[in-house]
Amino acid sequence: MVTSDTSFVVQIIADTLVLPLVAIATIALLVCVPNVKKFSVYSRMLLAGLTSYLIAKLMATAWQPNSERPFETMGLEPGVSYLDNPGFPSDHALFVWVIFFAVWFGVRNPWLVGLCAVVAALVSIGRVLALVHAPIDVLGGFIAAALGALWYIDARRQRILAKK
């Protein structure tokens, strides 16, 4: 449960960390992707993001584990901002994991990929700590992002084969 002492830290983790993740990913994807591969990388990123979003909306339509968010069932105030919907899957988790997979595919810098993974995990955990999502909600967001990232598999295999 979020106390007044930790609420500011949870708010930073759950909401504010999204901004530096977007900035880091944008700069990395603009600077580190070679010009000859930009169209291929960016078009797959667009398809992966749109596919992830579609999958998330289909998941939400097909199944809602709870009609109320954790803070509502506990009779508390939410620790961070949220959209007024049941919450499955988490849009924040979906967004940060889509960004992670885009950096993983487009940049391939282990340090940047690791940094993005840590930030995406922190945001996901922060949403649970802020009581606006249950763990299943953030897991749902991750799964939708991972399924959308399947667009990257063929391109990665082609890269590996081209190096041989």
mmCIF file of all heavy atoms in Angstrom, residues 5-46:
data_model
loop_
_atom_site.group_PDB
_atom_site.id
_atom_site.type_symbol
_atom_site.label_atom_id
_atom_site.label_comp_id
_atom_site.label_asym_id
_atom_site.label_seq_id
_atom_site.Cartn_x
_atom_site.Cartn_y
_atom_site.Cartn_z
ATOM 1 N N ASP A 5 4.458 8.993 2.660
ATOM 2 C CA ASP A 5 5.908 9.134 2.529
ATOM 3 C C ASP A 5 6.409 8.608 1.194
ATOM 4 O O ASP A 5 7.357 9.141 0.631
ATOM 5 C CB ASP A 5 6.627 8.376 3.652
ATOM 6 C CG ASP A 5 6.316 8.953 5.023
ATOM 7 O OD1 ASP A 5 5.944 10.143 5.107
ATOM 8 O OD2 ASP A 5 6.437 8.198 6.004
ATOM 9 N N THR A 6 5.797 7.574 0.690
ATOM 10 C CA THR A 6 6.275 6.964 -0.538
ATOM 11 C C THR A 6 5.472 7.376 -1.767
ATOM 12 O O THR A 6 5.861 7.051 -2.881
ATOM 13 C CB THR A 6 6.223 5.426 -0.433
ATOM 14 O OG1 THR A 6 4.862 5.031 -0.206
ATOM 15 C CG2 THR A 6 7.122 4.920 0.660
ATOM 16 N N SER A 7 4.377 8.113 -1.584
ATOM 17 C CA SER A 7 3.508 8.430 -2.716
ATOM 18 C C SER A 7 4.212 9.247 -3.790
ATOM 19 O O SER A 7 3.972 9.047 -4.981
ATOM 20 C CB SER A 7 2.237 9.129 -2.255
ATOM 21 O OG SER A 7 2.547 10.366 -1.662
ATOM 22 N N PHE A 8 5.090 10.167 -3.391
ATOM 23 C CA PHE A 8 5.811 10.978 -4.373
ATOM 24 C C PHE A 8 6.752 10.107 -5.208
ATOM 25 O O PHE A 8 6.815 10.250 -6.432
ATOM 26 C CB PHE A 8 6.590 12.102 -3.684
ATOM 27 C CG PHE A 8 7.344 12.962 -4.640
ATOM 28 C CD1 PHE A 8 6.678 13.845 -5.485
ATOM 29 C CD2 PHE A 8 8.724 12.883 -4.717
ATOM 30 C CE1 PHE A 8 7.374 14.628 -6.387
ATOM 31 C CE2 PHE A 8 9.431 13.669 -5.620
ATOM 32 C CZ PHE A 8 8.747 14.552 -6.454
ATOM 33 N N VAL A 9 7.450 9.202 -4.569
ATOM 34 C CA VAL A 9 8.369 8.302 -5.277
ATOM 35 C C VAL A 9 7.593 7.392 -6.220
ATOM 36 O O VAL A 9 7.985 7.197 -7.375
ATOM 37 C CB VAL A 9 9.207 7.479 -4.278
ATOM 38 C CG1 VAL A 9 10.051 6.436 -4.989
ATOM 39 C CG2 VAL A 9 10.068 8.392 -3.432
ATOM 40 N N VAL A 10 6.482 6.871 -5.754
ATOM 41 C CA VAL A 10 5.654 6.004 -6.598
ATOM 42 C C VAL A 10 5.120 6.784 -7.797
ATOM 43 O O VAL A 10 5.090 6.278 -8.917
ATOM 44 C CB VAL A 10 4.501 5.375 -5.778
ATOM 45 C CG1 VAL A 10 3.496 4.677 -6.682
ATOM 46 C CG2 VAL A 10 5.069 4.396 -4.758
ATOM 47 N N GLN A 11 4.723 8.036 -7.579
ATOM 48 C CA GLN A 11 4.228 8.855 -8.677
ATOM 49 C C GLN A 11 5.318 9.080 -9.722
ATOM 50 O O GLN A 11 5.062 9.000 -10.923
ATOM 51 C CB GLN A 11 3.717 10.192 -8.147
ATOM 52 C CG GLN A 11 3.033 11.021 -9.203
ATOM 53 C CD GLN A 11 2.423 12.280 -8.642
ATOM 54 O OE1 GLN A 11 2.746 12.708 -7.536
ATOM 55 N NE2 GLN A 11 1.535 12.884 -9.395
ATOM 56 N N ILE A 12 6.534 9.331 -9.272
ATOM 57 C CA ILE A 12 7.667 9.496 -10.204
ATOM 58 C C ILE A 12 7.870 8.211 -10.998
ATOM 59 O O ILE A 12 8.011 8.241 -12.223
ATOM 60 C CB ILE A 12 8.968 9.855 -9.442
ATOM 61 C CG1 ILE A 12 8.836 11.204 -8.747
ATOM 62 C CG2 ILE A 12 10.178 9.813 -10.358
ATOM 63 C CD1 ILE A 12 8.826 12.396 -9.661
ATOM 64 N N ILE A 13 7.874 7.087 -10.311
ATOM 65 C CA ILE A 13 8.116 5.803 -10.969
ATOM 66 C C ILE A 13 6.974 5.449 -11.924
ATOM 67 O O ILE A 13 7.203 5.040 -13.060
ATOM 68 C CB ILE A 13 8.317 4.679 -9.927
ATOM 69 C CG1 ILE A 13 9.615 4.895 -9.165
ATOM 70 C CG2 ILE A 13 8.310 3.311 -10.585
ATOM 71 C CD1 ILE A 13 9.778 3.996 -7.957
ATOM 72 N N ALA A 14 5.747 5.609 -11.490
ATOM 73 C CA ALA A 14 4.598 5.142 -12.260
ATOM 74 C C ALA A 14 4.224 6.049 -13.425
ATOM 75 O O ALA A 14 3.707 5.573 -14.435
ATOM 76 C CB ALA A 14 3.392 4.986 -11.334
ATOM 77 N N ASP A 15 4.445 7.341 -13.301
ATOM 78 C CA ASP A 15 4.031 8.283 -14.349
ATOM 79 C C ASP A 15 5.199 8.990 -15.019
ATOM 80 O O ASP A 15 5.340 8.981 -16.231
ATOM 81 C CB ASP A 15 3.095 9.348 -13.772
ATOM 82 C CG ASP A 15 1.642 8.929 -13.760
ATOM 83 O OD1 ASP A 15 1.289 7.987 -14.485
ATOM 84 O OD2 ASP A 15 0.860 9.553 -13.025
ATOM 85 N N THR A 16 6.051 9.613 -14.222
ATOM 86 C CA THR A 16 7.065 10.510 -14.758
ATOM 87 C C THR A 16 8.177 9.793 -15.500
ATOM 88 O O THR A 16 8.734 10.345 -16.454
ATOM 89 C CB THR A 16 7.639 11.379 -13.625
ATOM 90 O OG1 THR A 16 6.550 11.940 -12.890
ATOM 91 C CG2 THR A 16 8.491 12.498 -14.160
ATOM 92 N N LEU A 17 8.512 8.562 -15.121
ATOM 93 C CA LEU A 17 9.585 7.835 -15.813
ATOM 94 C C LEU A 17 9.258 7.532 -17.270
ATOM 95 O O LEU A 17 10.156 7.233 -18.052
ATOM 96 C CB LEU A 17 9.901 6.527 -15.085
ATOM 97 C CG LEU A 17 10.894 6.588 -13.947
ATOM 98 C CD1 LEU A 17 11.160 5.195 -13.388
ATOM 99 C CD2 LEU A 17 12.190 7.244 -14.349
ATOM 100 N N VAL A 18 7.999 7.641 -17.634
ATOM 101 C CA VAL A 18 7.618 7.422 -19.036
ATOM 102 C C VAL A 18 8.282 8.476 -19.929
ATOM 103 O O VAL A 18 8.745 8.160 -21.032
ATOM 104 C CB VAL A 18 6.083 7.436 -19.203
ATOM 105 C CG1 VAL A 18 5.686 7.378 -20.662
ATOM 106 C CG2 VAL A 18 5.454 6.294 -18.427
ATOM 107 N N LEU A 19 8.357 9.698 -19.450
ATOM 108 C CA LEU A 19 8.913 10.794 -20.260
ATOM 109 C C LEU A 19 10.385 10.590 -20.619
ATOM 110 O O LEU A 19 10.754 10.710 -21.791
ATOM 111 C CB LEU A 19 8.685 12.131 -19.564
ATOM 112 C CG LEU A 19 7.212 12.495 -19.345
ATOM 113 C CD1 LEU A 19 7.091 13.770 -18.528
ATOM 114 C CD2 LEU A 19 6.482 12.608 -20.659
ATOM 115 N N PRO A 20 11.273 10.298 -19.648
ATOM 116 C CA PRO A 20 12.665 10.050 -20.054
ATOM 117 C C PRO A 20 12.810 8.819 -20.939
ATOM 118 O O PRO A 20 13.671 8.781 -21.818
ATOM 119 C CB PRO A 20 13.426 9.887 -18.746
ATOM 120 C CG PRO A 20 12.450 9.934 -17.651
ATOM 121 C CD PRO A 20 11.128 10.338 -18.204
ATOM 122 N N LEU A 21 11.953 7.815 -20.732
ATOM 123 C CA LEU A 21 12.014 6.633 -21.602
ATOM 124 C C LEU A 21 11.701 7.015 -23.043
ATOM 125 O O LEU A 21 12.404 6.602 -23.971
ATOM 126 C CB LEU A 21 11.038 5.556 -21.120
ATOM 127 C CG LEU A 21 10.969 4.299 -21.987
ATOM 128 C CD1 LEU A 21 12.306 3.564 -21.967
ATOM 129 C CD2 LEU A 21 9.848 3.399 -21.526
ATOM 130 N N VAL A 22 10.674 7.822 -23.241
ATOM 131 C CA VAL A 22 10.318 8.275 -24.588
ATOM 132 C C VAL A 22 11.454 9.105 -25.185
ATOM 133 O O VAL A 22 11.813 8.928 -26.354
ATOM 134 C CB VAL A 22 8.997 9.076 -24.563
ATOM 135 C CG1 VAL A 22 8.750 9.774 -25.887
ATOM 136 C CG2 VAL A 22 7.833 8.161 -24.218
ATOM 137 N N ALA A 23 12.047 9.983 -24.391
ATOM 138 C CA ALA A 23 13.144 10.824 -24.884
ATOM 139 C C ALA A 23 14.362 9.988 -25.266
ATOM 140 O O ALA A 23 14.936 10.166 -26.356
ATOM 141 C CB ALA A 23 13.522 11.862 -23.826
ATOM 142 N N ILE A 24 14.743 9.064 -24.405
ATOM 143 C CA ILE A 24 15.897 8.197 -24.692
ATOM 144 C C ILE A 24 15.645 7.364 -25.941
ATOM 145 O O ILE A 24 16.503 7.266 -26.823
ATOM 146 C CB ILE A 24 16.198 7.283 -23.485
ATOM 147 C CG1 ILE A 24 16.745 8.109 -22.321
ATOM 148 C CG2 ILE A 24 17.174 6.170 -23.857
ATOM 149 C CD1 ILE A 24 16.754 7.367 -20.992
ATOM 150 N N ALA A 25 14.466 6.775 -26.027
ATOM 151 C CA ALA A 25 14.150 5.923 -27.186
ATOM 152 C C ALA A 25 14.106 6.737 -28.474
ATOM 153 O O ALA A 25 14.620 6.292 -29.506
ATOM 154 C CB ALA A 25 12.814 5.219 -26.958
ATOM 155 N N THR A 26 13.530 7.914 -28.420
ATOM 156 C CA THR A 26 13.441 8.753 -29.621
ATOM 157 C C THR A 26 14.826 9.130 -30.120
ATOM 158 O O THR A 26 15.132 8.980 -31.312
ATOM 159 C CB THR A 26 12.614 10.021 -29.324
ATOM 160 O OG1 THR A 26 11.304 9.632 -28.906
ATOM 161 C CG2 THR A 26 12.517 10.910 -30.551
ATOM 162 N N ILE A 27 15.660 9.607 -29.229
ATOM 163 C CA ILE A 27 17.018 9.998 -29.624
ATOM 164 C C ILE A 27 17.785 8.786 -30.146
ATOM 165 O O ILE A 27 18.440 8.853 -31.183
ATOM 166 C CB ILE A 27 17.749 10.667 -28.446
ATOM 167 C CG1 ILE A 27 17.098 12.021 -28.145
ATOM 168 C CG2 ILE A 27 19.235 10.839 -28.744
ATOM 169 C CD1 ILE A 27 17.512 12.643 -26.838
ATOM 170 N N ALA A 28 17.712 7.679 -29.435
ATOM 171 C CA ALA A 28 18.436 6.474 -29.849
ATOM 172 C C ALA A 28 17.963 5.998 -31.223
ATOM 173 O O ALA A 28 18.784 5.641 -32.074
ATOM 174 C CB ALA A 28 18.257 5.369 -28.818
ATOM 175 N N LEU A 29 16.661 5.994 -31.432
ATOM 176 C CA LEU A 29 16.136 5.491 -32.707
ATOM 177 C C LEU A 29 16.403 6.458 -33.858
ATOM 178 O O LEU A 29 16.518 6.027 -35.007
ATOM 179 C CB LEU A 29 14.641 5.197 -32.580
ATOM 180 C CG LEU A 29 14.333 3.972 -31.719
ATOM 181 C CD1 LEU A 29 12.866 3.945 -31.308
ATOM 182 C CD2 LEU A 29 14.712 2.686 -32.445
ATOM 183 N N LEU A 30 16.531 7.730 -33.571
ATOM 184 C CA LEU A 30 16.866 8.690 -34.626
ATOM 185 C C LEU A 30 18.358 8.690 -34.952
ATOM 186 O O LEU A 30 18.748 8.822 -36.105
ATOM 187 C CB LEU A 30 16.427 10.100 -34.223
ATOM 188 C CG LEU A 30 14.934 10.366 -34.238
ATOM 189 C CD1 LEU A 30 14.636 11.746 -33.667
ATOM 190 C CD2 LEU A 30 14.364 10.228 -35.641
ATOM 191 N N VAL A 31 19.195 8.528 -33.929
ATOM 192 C CA VAL A 31 20.642 8.647 -34.106
ATOM 193 C C VAL A 31 21.312 7.314 -34.443
ATOM 194 O O VAL A 31 22.209 7.254 -35.290
ATOM 195 C CB VAL A 31 21.279 9.268 -32.836
ATOM 196 C CG1 VAL A 31 22.796 9.246 -32.904
ATOM 197 C CG2 VAL A 31 20.757 10.674 -32.634
ATOM 198 N N CYS A 32 20.892 6.237 -33.802
ATOM 199 C CA CYS A 32 21.619 4.972 -33.892
ATOM 200 C C CYS A 32 21.192 4.067 -35.050
ATOM 201 O O CYS A 32 21.915 3.128 -35.371
ATOM 202 C CB CYS A 32 21.494 4.198 -32.581
ATOM 203 S SG CYS A 32 22.199 5.078 -31.171
ATOM 204 N N VAL A 33 20.045 4.320 -35.636
ATOM 205 C CA VAL A 33 19.611 3.480 -36.758
ATOM 206 C C VAL A 33 20.245 4.033 -38.031
ATOM 207 O O VAL A 33 20.077 5.214 -38.344
ATOM 208 C CB VAL A 33 18.064 3.471 -36.884
ATOM 209 C CG1 VAL A 33 17.628 2.672 -38.101
ATOM 210 C CG2 VAL A 33 17.429 2.917 -35.624
ATOM 211 N N PRO A 34 20.990 3.197 -38.759
ATOM 212 C CA PRO A 34 21.608 3.669 -40.010
ATOM 213 C C PRO A 34 20.545 4.157 -40.996
ATOM 214 O O PRO A 34 19.448 3.613 -41.073
ATOM 215 C CB PRO A 34 22.322 2.431 -40.556
ATOM 216 C CG PRO A 34 22.414 1.484 -39.403
ATOM 217 C CD PRO A 34 21.283 1.805 -38.485
ATOM 218 N N ASN A 35 20.886 5.194 -41.762
ATOM 219 C CA ASN A 35 19.937 5.785 -42.713
ATOM 220 C C ASN A 35 19.356 4.766 -43.684
ATOM 221 O O ASN A 35 18.181 4.830 -44.027
ATOM 222 C CB ASN A 35 20.584 6.930 -43.483
ATOM 223 C CG ASN A 35 20.728 8.171 -42.636
ATOM 224 O OD1 ASN A 35 20.001 8.362 -41.662
ATOM 225 N ND2 ASN A 35 21.682 9.023 -42.979
ATOM 226 N N VAL A 36 20.164 3.817 -44.137
ATOM 227 C CA VAL A 36 19.676 2.846 -45.121
ATOM 228 C C VAL A 36 18.659 1.886 -44.522
ATOM 229 O O VAL A 36 17.903 1.250 -45.251
ATOM 230 C CB VAL A 36 20.842 2.043 -45.755
ATOM 231 C CG1 VAL A 36 21.740 2.972 -46.564
ATOM 232 C CG2 VAL A 36 21.641 1.298 -44.706
ATOM 233 N N LYS A 37 18.603 1.772 -43.190
ATOM 234 C CA LYS A 37 17.668 0.851 -42.541
ATOM 235 C C LYS A 37 16.490 1.563 -41.878
ATOM 236 O O LYS A 37 15.610 0.902 -41.335
ATOM 237 C CB LYS A 37 18.409 0.009 -41.497
ATOM 238 C CG LYS A 37 19.432 -0.909 -42.101
ATOM 239 C CD LYS A 37 20.078 -1.748 -41.038
ATOM 240 C CE LYS A 37 21.093 -2.687 -41.688
ATOM 241 N NZ LYS A 37 21.765 -3.514 -40.706
ATOM 242 N N LYS A 38 16.485 2.886 -41.895
ATOM 243 C CA LYS A 38 15.461 3.629 -41.164
ATOM 244 C C LYS A 38 14.052 3.291 -41.634
ATOM 245 O O LYS A 38 13.163 3.079 -40.809
ATOM 246 C CB LYS A 38 15.717 5.124 -41.229
ATOM 247 C CG LYS A 38 16.806 5.551 -40.285
ATOM 248 C CD LYS A 38 16.944 7.038 -40.153
ATOM 249 C CE LYS A 38 18.072 7.263 -39.162
ATOM 250 N NZ LYS A 38 18.294 8.586 -38.766
ATOM 251 N N PHE A 39 13.813 3.246 -42.924
ATOM 252 C CA PHE A 39 12.460 2.968 -43.401
ATOM 253 C C PHE A 39 12.003 1.595 -42.931
ATOM 254 O O PHE A 39 10.888 1.439 -42.442
ATOM 255 C CB PHE A 39 12.367 3.056 -44.927
ATOM 256 C CG PHE A 39 10.987 2.763 -45.431
ATOM 257 C CD1 PHE A 39 9.980 3.716 -45.321
ATOM 258 C CD2 PHE A 39 10.676 1.528 -45.981
ATOM 259 C CE1 PHE A 39 8.698 3.439 -45.757
ATOM 260 C CE2 PHE A 39 9.390 1.247 -46.418
ATOM 261 C CZ PHE A 39 8.405 2.215 -46.311
ATOM 262 N N SER A 40 12.854 0.608 -43.056
ATOM 263 C CA SER A 40 12.500 -0.746 -42.629
ATOM 264 C C SER A 40 12.238 -0.808 -41.126
ATOM 265 O O SER A 40 11.247 -1.389 -40.680
ATOM 266 C CB SER A 40 13.622 -1.718 -43.001
ATOM 267 O OG SER A 40 13.370 -2.998 -42.470
ATOM 268 N N VAL A 41 13.120 -0.206 -40.349
ATOM 269 C CA VAL A 41 12.979 -0.225 -38.888
ATOM 270 C C VAL A 41 11.734 0.536 -38.458
ATOM 271 O O VAL A 41 10.916 0.041 -37.676
ATOM 272 C CB VAL A 41 14.249 0.348 -38.207
ATOM 273 C CG1 VAL A 41 14.028 0.589 -36.728
ATOM 274 C CG2 VAL A 41 15.427 -0.585 -38.421
ATOM 275 N N TYR A 42 11.558 1.738 -38.981
ATOM 276 C CA TYR A 42 10.429 2.570 -38.559
ATOM 277 C C TYR A 42 9.092 1.984 -38.996
ATOM 278 O O TYR A 42 8.107 2.072 -38.267
ATOM 279 C CB TYR A 42 10.565 3.989 -39.088
ATOM 280 C CG TYR A 42 11.757 4.757 -38.545
ATOM 281 C CD1 TYR A 42 12.167 5.933 -39.131
ATOM 282 C CD2 TYR A 42 12.487 4.307 -37.440
ATOM 283 C CE1 TYR A 42 13.244 6.651 -38.650
ATOM 284 C CE2 TYR A 42 13.569 5.004 -36.963
ATOM 285 C CZ TYR A 42 13.945 6.187 -37.572
ATOM 286 O OH TYR A 42 15.019 6.886 -37.093
ATOM 287 N N SER A 43 9.043 1.395 -40.178
ATOM 288 C CA SER A 43 7.769 0.806 -40.622
ATOM 289 C C SER A 43 7.405 -0.413 -39.770
ATOM 290 O O SER A 43 6.239 -0.608 -39.412
ATOM 291 C CB SER A 43 7.807 0.442 -42.108
ATOM 292 O OG SER A 43 8.825 -0.486 -42.373
ATOM 293 N N ARG A 44 8.382 -1.226 -39.410
ATOM 294 C CA ARG A 44 8.100 -2.359 -38.517
ATOM 295 C C ARG A 44 7.709 -1.877 -37.125
ATOM 296 O O ARG A 44 6.850 -2.471 -36.483
ATOM 297 C CB ARG A 44 9.294 -3.299 -38.443
ATOM 298 C CG ARG A 44 9.431 -4.158 -39.674
ATOM 299 C CD ARG A 44 10.535 -5.176 -39.495
ATOM 300 N NE ARG A 44 10.814 -5.845 -40.739
ATOM 301 C CZ ARG A 44 10.259 -6.989 -41.116
ATOM 302 N NH1 ARG A 44 9.391 -7.587 -40.337
ATOM 303 N NH2 ARG A 44 10.561 -7.541 -42.269
ATOM 304 N N MET A 45 8.322 -0.798 -36.658
ATOM 305 C CA MET A 45 7.944 -0.238 -35.366
ATOM 306 C C MET A 45 6.494 0.234 -35.391
ATOM 307 O O MET A 45 5.746 -0.005 -34.435
ATOM 308 C CB MET A 45 8.862 0.940 -35.007
ATOM 309 C CG MET A 45 10.240 0.535 -34.566
ATOM 310 S SD MET A 45 11.397 1.925 -34.398
ATOM 311 C CE MET A 45 10.422 3.162 -33.617
ATOM 312 N N LEU A 46 6.096 0.884 -36.463
ATOM 313 C CA LEU A 46 4.713 1.343 -36.587
ATOM 314 C C LEU A 46 3.744 0.162 -36.582
ATOM 315 O O LEU A 46 2.746 0.159 -35.851
ATOM 316 C CB LEU A 46 4.537 2.167 -37.864
ATOM 317 C CG LEU A 46 3.117 2.633 -38.167
ATOM 318 C CD1 LEU A 46 2.624 3.588 -37.090
ATOM 319 C CD2 LEU A 46 3.054 3.278 -39.537
#
